Amino acid sequence: GLWSMNTGRYVRDTGDKLYRRSLYTIWKRTVPNPTLYTFDQPDREVCTVRRQKTNTPLQALVLLNDPTFLEAAKVIGETITKSGASEKSIATAFRRITGIEVEEEQLKVLASLQQSEYEIFKKDKAKKKGWIESGDYKIDTRLDADLVAANSIVASVILNSDACITKR
């Protein structure tokens, strides 16, 4: 609804075009992209040599609630599930997302989270709907949807971790 404030209309792509177009962001000087703005997007009025490093609660809200990140977590959760949903699969996902190796203690926490969320989803089938049915991407129906949802939460935690957000 941001574009309607500035006499514009944004039409989101669908199908295969949705993911192709997700590589690009339309840049309007008068209506900055809210996600990029939250992550300190330069305003392009002056040349920016180096962007400032920040880590704010708003960034965490974007990473936990933005449709792009929710769908990414779901796809990564599906990938973890297809890979066997073991600690090795979680470690591989962590490495792919952050670019660094997961520490043993972090891996134990993530594996414990996966197991506890899996148990919750097995008991409460309605609870997984938000993770499984959100977004346009449809998970493989042959997979255990409870496990995909649990792995999606693990992926969301990794995406929201300092190792992913902050370049060191």
Side-chain angles (χ1 to χ4, degrees):
L2 288 174
W3 282 37
S4 62
M5 295 172 13
N6 196 22
T7 66
R9 186 162 189 272
Y10 176 78
V11 179
R12 195 180 120 197
D13 279 332
T14 58
D16 290 340
K17 289 182 180 181
L18 175 65
Y19 301 107
R20 177 186 60 85
R21 297 293 297 164
S22 67
L23 295 173
Y24 310 101
T25 300
I26 297 173
W27 192 301
K28 288 188 78 160
R29 192 174 303 168
T30 55
V31 185
N33 181 290
T35 300
L36 294 178
Y37 195 71
T38 303
F39 286 93
D40 305 316
Q41 157 193 310
D43 59 12
R44 295 175 61 177
E45 289 180 8
V46 295
C47 179
T48 303
V49 177
R50 183 179 301 144
R51 291 172 66 172
Q52 64 184 11
K53 293 180 185 177
T54 61
N55 193 350
T56 69
L58 285 176
Q59 292 172 349
L61 285 173
V62 168
L63 293 170
L64 291 170
N65 296 303
D66 187 279
T68 302
F69 291 100
L70 287 174
E71 195 150 326
K74 183 169 66 169
V75 172
I76 296 166
E78 181 184 51
T79 303
I80 293 170
T81 305
K82 285 181 178 178
S83 299
S86 64
E87 284 189 7
K88 183 179 178 190
S89 301
I90 295 171
T92 301
F94 190 93
R95 171 82 170 120
R96 286 182 177 170
I97 294 169
T98 65
I100 59 174
E101 296 294 333
V102 65
E103 295 176 11
E104 191 64 33
E105 188 175 322
Q106 292 171 319
L107 184 57
K108 286 180 183 177
V109 169
L110 291 171
S112 173
L113 173 66
Q114 176 199 52
Q115 199 56 42
S116 65
E117 292 298 326
Y118 181 60
E119 295 301 323
I120 290 169
F121 288 132
K122 281 195 327 189
K123 291 177 186 170
D124 187 358
K125 297 295 183 186
K127 202 167 193 142
K128 73 177 171 208
K129 280 188 175 185
W131 286 99
I132 299 302
E133 295 178 5
S134 67
D136 291 332
Y137 183 81
K138 303 297 178 206
I139 65 162
D140 187 344
T141 55
R142 297 172 292 178
L143 298 173
D144 180 356
D146 298 325
L147 190 55
V148 173
N151 286 327
S152 297
I153 289 178
V154 170
S156 181
V157 167
I158 296 169
L159 286 168
N160 202 26
S161 69
D162 185 65
C164 181
I165 299 169
T166 307
K167 179 181 173 186
R168 303 222 186 260

